[in-house]
Amino acid sequence: MKNIPILDPLHLPLNSRVLFELDYPMFENETHKLIQFEDYIVYWSKYTSLFTREDKISQAEFPFESICWFVKTIENNYWGNEGDKSTNSENRMFSGEDIGISSMMHCCLENLPGYNFWNKSRVDHVSNRPPQSWLIPRYMLKEGLFDKLKSIS
C-alpha cells in the first residue's frame, strides 16, 4: 500500500493536481477538494474542530481504478433502470485495498440520502482509526459531481 502524505493543495508534489473543489453547503467555512496524487484520488478537507477550535486537515485516499467502480456501481446498482439492485453495502479490492460503498439515509445531515465511499485499509488521519471515508449526498451526485467523477474515471 502506497504511503500518501497529508497534501497541501497550494504546494502539491509535481505528480499531483487539484481536479476540482466541492461545495458542501451544509458545512460553511470548510474547504473540500478532489486531488489526483500519482495513481490515487484523494478527497481532501480542511475544517475547524468543534471541540478544540483548531484547524484540521483530513483526507481519504482511493486507488484511481476504484473511482470507475464507484461510478459504475452507483449507475448500475443504485440508480439502474430496475431500481436499487444493491445491498446496503458493497466492497471490492483495488491495489490490495478494501474499498466500499454504503448507502446512507442520513448523509451529512438528518434525512439527506447519500453514500459513504470508504477505504477500510487506511486509517482516518484525524481519529487514527479505519476506515477513511468520503460522505457524498445523492443530490450532489445528481447535480454534477457524478458527471465529474465519470469524466476522470
Side-chain angles (χ1 to χ4, degrees):
M1 192 166 62
K2 184 178 290 184
N3 185 28
I4 300 175
I6 296 292
L7 300 174
D8 177 350
L10 298 177
H11 301 86
L12 289 172
L14 293 176
N15 52 1
S16 305
R17 65 187 172 117
V18 174
L19 297 170
F20 52 86
E21 193 160 329
L22 295 109
D23 180 28
Y24 280 78
M26 69 285 292
F27 301 130
E28 294 181 11
N29 303 318
E30 292 188 8
T31 305
H32 305 271
K33 298 178 186 284
L34 209 62
I35 300 170
Q36 183 173 354
F37 175 83
E38 297 177 3
D39 51 350
Y40 279 77
I41 296 295
V42 176
Y43 168 67
W44 183 92
S45 298
K46 181 178 181 181
Y47 60 95
T48 302
S49 168
L50 294 173
F51 303 109
T52 64
R53 297 289 178 208
E54 295 175 354
D55 283 344
K56 299 279 187 183
I57 293 175
S58 181
Q59 63 187 40
E61 303 136 7
F62 303 94
F64 190 80
E65 66 268 19
S66 68
I67 300 299
C68 183
W69 173 76
F70 174 81
V71 166
K72 286 180 182 176
T73 301
I74 293 291
E75 195 168 46
N76 297 328
N77 295 13
Y78 288 95
W79 298 353
N81 292 331
E82 300 171 27
D84 189 346
K85 301 182 299 185
S86 68
T87 62
N88 185 45
S89 184
E90 300 185 30
N91 66 304
R92 200 162 169 199
M93 296 296 284
F94 293 94
S95 301
E97 298 186 46
D98 190 3
I99 307 296
I101 303 167
S102 302
S103 60
M104 303 177 69
M105 290 303 299
H106 308 287
C107 179
C108 302
L109 289 173
E110 190 173 346
N111 297 318
L112 181 64
Y115 306 95
N116 182 4
F117 187 38
W118 46 265
N119 185 339
K120 194 185 281 186
S121 299
R122 293 179 179 264
V123 297
D124 181 89
H125 292 285
V126 175
S127 71
N128 206 31
R129 300 177 128 184
Q132 291 181 352
S133 62
W134 174 16
L135 302 181
I136 309 169
R138 183 182 177 114
Y139 85 88
M140 286 177 65
L141 288 169
K142 294 277 190 181
E143 292 180 0
L145 179 56
F146 186 78
D147 290 334
K148 287 180 177 180
L149 292 174
K150 200 172 190 176
S151 72
I152 64 171
S153 68

